[in-house]
């Protein structure tokens, strides 16, 4: 199998809110531990996209509109009659709009009738009477037609019309799924089968490889659906798409056989039982216990039912049998109160057993077995309906991992498993008296039944054993193998809001290599821009030479920006939320002694405005020593830059950018002047805009870019230019020159755009010359990295930058007008050009390995 450069991507999709769905959560965690790049997509309970993290797993909840369903529901059963009765009134919303417009018209015209003269007043009153009659007639006709609409219309045989919610789900999930470009899609439940099939097919049509599997949690044909349309639509939906899946997975052997036979599948679906994670059971056991939640002593017989309460789950039979079990208590582990639960509690009240029934809350899925273990018996009182007959549900595994013998109704699969292994007692599902007898017998024989829960049983019913089959399937479907497992991703990883993420919940990739915030004399906050990872690079440099300093690096992250190393990532799109703002206040005040604010960004979100200026008083009151750090565009003044430099980037900037940047630069210049704080800049050209600042050079990992590959030994030297944005580097100004020299055979020119950063290092190390920028008069991170690799760099350098570096800067100066002459001279003097590369390494080590920067910042860090 192929071992790709990047981790293979898995998208796990489910139509619910994810929380409480242990199977999908454990699936995502198992794949992440195996080395997959995992995104878990569920449904948002709001009107906006919600993002969070489970360790390295991206969690996205998408809002689902009802546009398609509304359109289907608005279709008329009798279209010709409806033309008269519902004319332009599709639904109640349209009726309300029509009525509001009518009332507004009435108010206007009735007022005019008072202001108008006698003839006009008479005509207006007649018009008001006519419109009133027309309005009443339309409202009555609309209501008459609505009353004749069936509340539960018969199925039409097209699942898109019978259950249009599926189309709305697909319209919401599909674009998000396709943007991720997964190698494998894991579709959970029938509600996601269409989305997986359509998205995979669309990506394949575009030449992108994508496999998908359908995970059938339920036997769709055997579920007692609430209405006839759903009962018709969902089996038809499954039948249409299941044969297109690259694989089918389900939860029991019996269900696998049904699916194979019903849909004539070529292979038996893979059986992956939904079991607890064995590794975490009893390890650092949670203080929570179901017995304590009930407030019961250890001597009190306690039965527990855990999970969803539906009509088919048979809890009513347990309540009916409870009067026959004096002294027995029942714990119901429930997530919320429902009308059915209220009915069951009323039923218990009428039978005089309400005081022995306890409602206890859910706990995280990895804590369930420990939570239940303090009970005596686990209950599965399912009715004998087809869907309940053919599966071994999650709660069976959870009960057994908790060491609880089972009391189960005689549903086929659970009954056979319990009797085969001697794990409990069985009763007749529609006879509460047999339930009471079975529960009493199980309690009397509890020790013997518990002893039958052997190591083999626990191992087989563990998620480690079950998920292993799933992970192998992913490899087979994608033809890809993850680069290596990630055991540091905990089975117990918790979901955290993506508005504020910390390094503890993003996995090991990009772990900080600086001294993280601790009880040192100086506790430095650094951020929140972290442009090009410079905040992280500064942190490494500072803590390497100063043992008195610990650092916390913060990055305000846009959705499209790269995750440079940091301790804390803050969702930049949510800085206006009060909760996020207060989190920043709590994180900073009382924890930092010093704060180096880069790019003039606010550090408390938008609590005090769009710049750091509004936060300075609060920081001063908190006794935090503050300095400001500028990187470039936030302080570089476009108009003055164009005056100083004939080839300024702002001459080529897209329309509207220069005025915005100029307003920002002028605002930040005022902040810098009025604040009276220490000022630093990362590139020396910015001293022209902030003359009172100190140059704290960019920091790169010089050793990581070093190479012993020679330069200028090829017959045609390889010349590299890698613009992030063409207009900022002057690319279009120099391309004619480079194309001419390439076509003439003097050089081999390579333009690198959209290249992954890992690949960029290889390109730099393998070339002979690097062309940086010809628009700013300075040099940036890419030029420093090229110099660290021993490559001669050509760029436009201003006199001010030359002076700031004491003339030591080895970058070869050129403008778009002189570039051809400069390149020809470098190619002609190959030995001299190679010596420029040698001086470049020395310059990078002297100014940009972090030592110089740490020394510059030392006065501030006192």
């Amino acid at each position: 199998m192929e071992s790709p450069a990047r981790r293979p991507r898995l998208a796990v999709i489910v139509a619910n809110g994810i929380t409480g769905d242990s199977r999908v959560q454990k699936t995502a965690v198992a794949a992440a531990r195996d080395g997959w790049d995992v995104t878990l997509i569920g449904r948002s309970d709001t009107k906006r996209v919600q993002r969070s993290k489970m360790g390295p797993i991206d969690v996205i909840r998408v809002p689902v509109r009802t546009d398609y369903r509304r359109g289907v529901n608005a279709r008329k059963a009798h279209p010709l009659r409806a033309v008269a009765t519902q004319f332009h009134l599709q639904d109640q919303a349209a009726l309300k709009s029509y009525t509001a417009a009518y009332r507004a018209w009435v108010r206007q015209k009735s007022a005019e009738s008072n202001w108008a003269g006698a003839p006009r007043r008479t005509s207006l009153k007649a018009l008001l009477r006519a419109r009133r009659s027309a309005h009443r007639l339309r409202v009555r006709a609309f209501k008459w037609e609505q009353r004749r609409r069936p509340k539960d219309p018969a199925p039409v045989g097209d699942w898109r019309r019978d259950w249009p919610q599926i189309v709305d789900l697909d319209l919401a999930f599909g674009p998000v799924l396709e943007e991720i470009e997964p190698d494998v899609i894991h579709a959970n439940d029938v509600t996601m089968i269409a989305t997986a099939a359509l998205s995979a097919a669309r990506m394949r049509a575009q030449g992108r490889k994508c496999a998908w599997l359908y995970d059938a949690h339920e036997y769709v044909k055997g579920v007692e659906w609430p209405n006839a349309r759903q009962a018709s639509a969902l089996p038809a939906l499954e039948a249409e798409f299941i044969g297109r899946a690259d694989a089918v997975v389900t939860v029991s052997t019996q269900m696998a056989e049904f699916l194979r036979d019903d849909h004539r599948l070529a292979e038996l679906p893979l059986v992956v039982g939904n079991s607890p994670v064995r590794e975490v059971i009893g390890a650092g056991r949670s203080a929570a216990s179901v017995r304590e939640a009930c407030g019961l002593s250890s001597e009190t017989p306690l039965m527990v039912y855990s999970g969803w309460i539906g009509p088919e789950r048979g809890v009513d039979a347990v309540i009916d049998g409870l009067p026959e079990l004096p002294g027995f208590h029942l714990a119901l582990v429930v997530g919320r109160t429902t009308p059915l639960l209220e009915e069951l509690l009323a039923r218990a009240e009428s039978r005089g057993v309400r005081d022995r029934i306890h409602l206890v809350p859910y706990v995280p899925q990895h804590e369930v077995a420990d939570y239940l273990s303090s009970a005596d018996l686990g209950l599965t009182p399912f009715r004998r309906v087809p869907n309940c007959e053919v599966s071994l549900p999650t709660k069976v595994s959870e009960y057994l991992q908790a060491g609880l013998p089972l009391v189960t109704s005689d549903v086929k699969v659970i009954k056979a498993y319990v009797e085969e292994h001697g794990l409990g007692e069985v009763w007749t599902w529609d006879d509460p008296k047999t339930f009471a007898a079975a529960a009493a017998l199980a309690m009397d024989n509890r020790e013997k039944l518990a002893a039958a829960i052997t190591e083999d049983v626990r191992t087989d019913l563990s998620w480690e054993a079950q998920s292993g089959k799933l992970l192998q399937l992913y490899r087979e479907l994608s033809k890809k193998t993850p680069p290596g497992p990630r055991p540091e991703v905990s089975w117990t990883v918790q979901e955290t809001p993506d508005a504020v993420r910390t390094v503890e919940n993003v996995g090991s990739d990009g772990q900080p290599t600086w001294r993280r915030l601790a009880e040192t004399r100086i506790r430095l906050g650094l951020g929140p821009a972290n442009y090009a990872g410079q905040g992280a690079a500064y942190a490494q440099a500072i803590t390497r030479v100063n043992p008195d300093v610990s650092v916390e690096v913060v990055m305000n992250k846009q959705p499209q920006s790269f995750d440079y190393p940091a301790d804390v990532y803050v969702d930049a799109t949510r800085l206006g939320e009060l909760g996020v703002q207060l989190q920043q206040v709590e994180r900073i005040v009382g924890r930092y002694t010093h704060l180096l604010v880069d790019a003039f960004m606010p550090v408390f979100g938008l609590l005090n405005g769009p710049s750091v200026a509004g936060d300075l008083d609060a920081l001063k009151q908190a006794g935090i020593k503050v300095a400001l750090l500028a990187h470039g565009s936030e302080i570089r003044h476009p108009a003055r830059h164009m005056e100083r430099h004939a080839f300024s980037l702002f001459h080529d900037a897209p329309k509207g950018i220069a005025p915005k940047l100029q307003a920002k630069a002028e605002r930040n210049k005022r902040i810098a002047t009025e604040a009276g704080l220490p000022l630093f800049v990362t590139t020396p050209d910015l001293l022209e805009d902030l003359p009172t600042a100190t140059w704290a050079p960019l920091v790169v990992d010089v050793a990581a870019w070093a190479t012993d590959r020679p330069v200028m030994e090829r017959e045609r030297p390889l010349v590299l230019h890698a613009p992030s944005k063409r207009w900022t580097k002057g690319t279009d100004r120099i391309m004619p020159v480079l194309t001419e020299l390439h076509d003439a055979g003097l050089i081999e020119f390579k333009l690198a755009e959209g290249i992954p950063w890992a690949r960029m290092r290889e390109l730099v190390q393998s070339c002979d010359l690097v062309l940086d920028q010809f628009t700013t008069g300075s040099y940036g991170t890419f030029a420093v990295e090229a110099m660290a690799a021993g490559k001669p760099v050509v760029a436009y350098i201003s006199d001010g930058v030359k002076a700031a570096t004491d003339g030591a800067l080895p970058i070869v100066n050129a403008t778009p007008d002189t570039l051809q002459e400069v390149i020809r001279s470098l190619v002609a003097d190959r030995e001299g050009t190679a010596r420029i590369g040698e001086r470049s390494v020395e310059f990078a080590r002297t100014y940009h390995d972090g030592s110089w920067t740490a020394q510059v910042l030392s006065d501030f860090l006192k």
Side-chain angles (χ1 to χ4, degrees):
M1 291 185 183
E2 175 188 358
S3 182
R6 66 164 174 83
R7 296 186 183 277
R9 294 185 187 133
L10 170 69
V12 182
I13 58 175
V14 65
N16 60 36
I18 298 172
T19 302
D21 194 325
S22 66
R23 185 175 178 89
V24 298
Q25 292 179 50
K26 289 183 298 188
T27 295
V29 174
R33 284 171 60 88
D34 193 43
W36 289 75
D37 183 356
V38 183
T39 303
L40 179 52
I41 308 173
R43 182 169 185 164
S44 173
D45 58 1
T46 71
K47 293 183 179 180
R48 64 176 181 83
V49 174
Q50 298 171 304
R51 295 180 183 272
S52 59
K53 278 280 187 177
M54 287 176 59
I57 301 164
D58 288 308
V59 182
I60 305 174
R61 292 177 173 86
V62 296
V64 180
R65 296 171 61 90
T66 59
D67 299 333
Y68 188 84
R69 181 174 60 177
R70 288 183 62 190
V72 169
N73 291 342
R75 295 181 184 181
K76 308 299 187 295
H78 301 280
L80 293 178
R81 187 181 74 193
V83 168
T85 62
Q86 311 284 278
F87 184 65
H88 290 316
L89 299 178
Q90 285 80 16
D91 51 25
Q92 287 288 343
L95 178 66
K96 289 179 180 178
S97 296
Y98 165 69
T99 299
Y102 165 73
R103 291 176 61 197
W105 181 86
V106 167
R107 286 177 58 79
Q108 177 68 28
K109 295 304 178 184
S110 59
E112 289 180 9
S113 69
N114 179 63
W115 303 327
R120 171 70 172 159
R121 183 182 303 119
T122 301
S123 63
L124 282 174
K125 288 183 177 180
L127 183 60
L128 283 164
R129 286 193 296 271
R131 279 290 299 271
R132 184 182 301 113
S133 298
H135 177 258
R136 288 174 177 171
L137 180 62
R138 289 206 64 187
V139 171
R140 287 173 182 169
F142 178 88
K143 292 181 177 179
W144 181 85
E145 185 72 38
Q146 294 297 309
R147 285 195 298 270
R148 276 152 183 78
R149 282 190 174 188
K151 287 186 170 54
D152 187 9
V156 299
D158 177 355
W159 63 261
R160 293 166 180 82
R161 291 177 58 191
D162 286 333
W163 207 245
Q165 292 92 322
I166 298 296
V167 179
D168 283 323
L169 282 168
D170 177 62
L171 292 174
F173 278 66
V176 176
L177 183 60
E178 292 164 36
E179 185 177 345
I180 294 168
E181 298 187 5
D183 299 296
V184 178
I185 302 170
H186 184 142
N188 289 274
D189 280 325
V190 68
T191 46
M192 284 285 97
I193 194 172
T195 295
L198 296 173
S199 290
R202 282 167 51 83
M203 285 186 277
R204 289 168 179 170
Q206 297 167 10
R208 292 178 281 167
K209 294 181 180 179
C210 179
W212 70 282
L213 65 92
Y214 168 47
D215 191 343
H217 296 190
E218 299 178 308
Y219 183 48
V220 174
K221 292 176 65 175
V223 175
E224 295 183 339
W225 298 107
N227 62 62
R229 285 172 300 154
Q230 194 174 9
S232 171
L234 296 186
L237 170 66
E238 182 180 71
E240 179 173 333
F241 291 109
I242 192 171
R244 299 181 184 275
D246 296 294
V248 179
V249 174
T250 192
V251 296
S252 74
T253 302
Q254 291 77 7
M255 196 180 299
E257 292 170 349
F258 281 175
L259 289 171
R260 179 193 59 192
D261 297 343
D262 288 350
H263 302 290
R264 299 179 181 178
L265 301 178
E267 296 181 4
L268 187 70
L270 178 69
V271 176
V272 179
N274 189 19
S275 303
V277 177
R278 179 84 188 281
E279 178 183 314
V280 303
I281 297 173
R285 177 170 300 204
S286 169
S289 104
V290 69
R291 185 173 292 274
E292 290 177 1
C294 295
L296 300 176
S297 68
S298 59
E299 292 78 23
T300 304
L302 177 61
M303 305 178 295
V304 63
Y305 174 85
S306 175
W308 173 249
I309 296 179
E312 75 286 356
R313 301 304 174 103
V315 178
D316 54 337
V318 175
I319 292 173
D320 289 345
L322 204 54
E324 305 295 324
L325 293 167
F328 278 58
H329 285 243
L330 171 65
L332 300 178
V333 183
V334 294
R336 58 188 174 90
T337 301
T338 64
L340 177 58
L341 178 58
E342 291 177 346
E343 289 178 18
L344 291 172
L345 295 178
R347 189 185 193 112
E349 188 76 42
S350 68
R351 283 157 177 73
V353 295
R354 177 64 184 87
D355 61 326
R356 292 192 278 136
I357 296 178
H358 310 270
L359 304 184
V360 297
Y362 279 172
V363 294
Q365 53 91 8
H366 63 271
E367 296 180 8
V368 171
D370 285 336
Y371 185 55
L372 300 178
S373 63
S374 60
D376 296 303
L377 301 172
L379 306 183
T380 54
F382 296 170
R383 295 181 179 178
R384 293 194 62 178
V385 297
N387 190 54
C388 293
E389 290 265 52
V390 298
S391 66
L392 196 69
T394 307
K395 58 176 54 62
V396 169
S397 299
E398 290 171 340
Y399 292 151
L400 294 176
Q401 294 289 3
L404 303 185
L406 303 180
V407 180
T408 181
S409 62
D410 54 349
V411 287
K412 186 180 300 182
V413 172
I414 307 177
K415 174 179 181 287
Y417 189 82
V418 168
E419 291 181 341
E420 177 186 356
H421 296 282
L423 300 170
E425 299 294 338
V426 179
W427 55 282
T428 304
W429 73 277
D430 58 352
D431 186 350
K433 289 188 176 181
T434 62
F435 161 72
L441 185 59
M443 184 62 72
D444 289 341
N445 297 322
R446 188 184 182 284
E447 290 187 9
K448 177 183 175 183
L449 296 173
I453 308 173
T454 63
E455 185 68 18
D456 288 345
V457 168
R458 293 176 191 257
T459 298
D460 182 58
L461 294 180
S462 69
W463 185 245
E464 292 92 328
Q466 297 297 319
S467 65
K469 298 179 283 186
L470 197 56
L471 300 175
Q472 181 59 34
L473 179 61
Y474 294 157
R475 285 168 162 77
E476 293 170 359
L477 294 180
S478 66
K479 304 298 189 293
K480 293 186 176 183
T481 301
R486 294 186 287 190
E488 71 278 0
V489 179
S490 171
W491 284 113
T492 62
V493 63
Q494 294 294 292
E495 186 176 353
T496 57
D498 201 25
V500 180
R501 297 191 281 121
T502 62
V503 72
E504 285 83 0
N505 58 52
V506 298
S508 63
D509 294 346
Q511 284 278 358
T513 56
W514 53 89
R515 185 181 304 110
R516 297 176 64 195
L517 206 67
E519 292 302 319
T520 53
R521 185 174 61 83
I522 296 170
R523 300 184 299 279
L524 171 66
L526 215 166
N530 196 25
Y531 289 148
Q534 278 301 297
Y538 270 39
Q540 293 171 17
I542 292 167
T543 58
R544 186 172 65 237
V545 301
N546 195 333
D548 288 339
V549 180
S550 58
V551 181
E552 183 169 82
V553 179
V554 181
M555 181 177 180
N556 286 354
K557 186 181 179 301
Q558 295 288 348
Q560 71 277 10
S561 63
F562 182 74
D563 266 2
Y564 291 106
D567 293 297
V568 179
Y569 299 91
V570 182
D571 186 344
T573 66
R574 298 176 63 182
L575 296 176
E577 297 180 13
L578 181 60
V580 176
Q581 295 161 5
L582 295 179
Q583 281 181 299
Q584 306 320 300
V585 174
E586 183 177 358
R587 182 175 50 76
I588 293 171
V589 175
R591 294 180 72 236
Y592 296 173
T593 60
H594 293 63
L595 179 60
L596 183 57
V597 181
D598 60 344
F600 295 83
M601 287 184 175
V603 296
F604 297 146
L606 300 180
L607 181 65
N608 299 312
S611 76
V612 71
D615 298 333
L616 292 179
D617 283 343
L619 293 169
K620 182 178 180 180
Q621 291 295 321
I624 299 172
K625 188 175 181 181
V626 179
L628 304 177
L629 174 68
H631 292 279
S633 61
E634 78 275 25
I635 201 67
R636 188 179 290 118
H637 193 281
R640 294 175 192 143
H641 196 270
M642 286 188 284
E643 291 174 0
R644 294 193 296 264
H645 306 288
F647 297 102
S648 169
L649 71 162
F650 297 111
H651 289 302
D652 299 325
K655 185 177 180 181
I657 287 184
K660 290 181 181 178
L661 291 178
Q662 185 155 314
K664 180 186 288 187
E666 290 174 350
R667 180 202 68 185
N668 292 340
K669 178 68 176 292
R670 287 195 300 271
I671 295 171
T673 302
E674 295 170 2
L677 299 172
L679 302 174
F680 300 96
V681 294
T682 58
T683 57
D685 63 306
L686 298 179
L687 297 173
E688 296 175 338
D689 294 283
L690 281 179
T692 59
T694 303
W695 177 38
L698 294 164
V699 177
V700 303
D701 188 346
V702 174
W705 287 82
T707 178
D708 57 2
R709 300 182 193 181
V711 298
M712 304 304 290
E713 291 188 357
R714 294 182 178 90
E715 181 179 351
R716 294 177 64 185
L718 178 60
V719 178
L720 176 68
H721 179 56
S724 52
K725 296 185 180 71
R726 287 194 172 201
W727 68 272
T728 65
K729 298 280 189 175
T731 302
D732 292 336
R733 292 179 179 270
I734 63 174
M735 282 296 292
V737 170
L738 298 169
T739 302
E740 180 182 341
L741 294 175
H742 176 85
D743 292 344
L746 183 70
I747 63 171
E748 180 183 348
F749 172 60
K750 184 171 185 61
L751 178 66
E753 294 182 292
I755 303 295
W757 202 243
R759 170 69 177 142
M760 188 63 72
R761 181 178 304 183
E762 169 62 25
L763 290 177
V764 170
Q765 291 177 331
S766 63
C767 74
D768 294 291
L769 288 174
V770 171
L771 307 185
D772 189 26
Q773 58 70 39
F774 297 86
T775 59
T776 64
S778 190
Y779 64 99
T781 304
F782 181 59
V784 177
E785 291 164 342
M787 287 191 287
K791 307 303 175 181
V793 177
V794 182
Y796 165 53
I797 301 299
S798 70
D799 292 340
V801 171
K802 293 176 187 175
T805 58
D806 295 325
L809 181 64
I811 293 179
V812 180
N813 198 5
T815 68
D817 290 344
T818 64
L819 181 60
Q820 180 164 166
E821 177 185 348
V822 168
I823 292 179
R824 287 185 180 275
S825 66
L826 292 171
V827 174
D829 183 9
R830 292 174 180 249
E831 290 184 3
T833 303
R835 287 194 295 272
I836 294 173
E838 294 170 1
R839 296 204 310 272
S840 296
V841 176
E842 291 304 316
F843 183 87
R845 288 174 181 163
T846 300
Y847 284 91
H848 295 287
D849 75 345
S851 302
W852 190 291
T853 303
Q855 181 62 38
V856 169
L857 294 170
S858 61
D859 284 344
F860 165 62
L861 296 173
K862 288 183 177 178

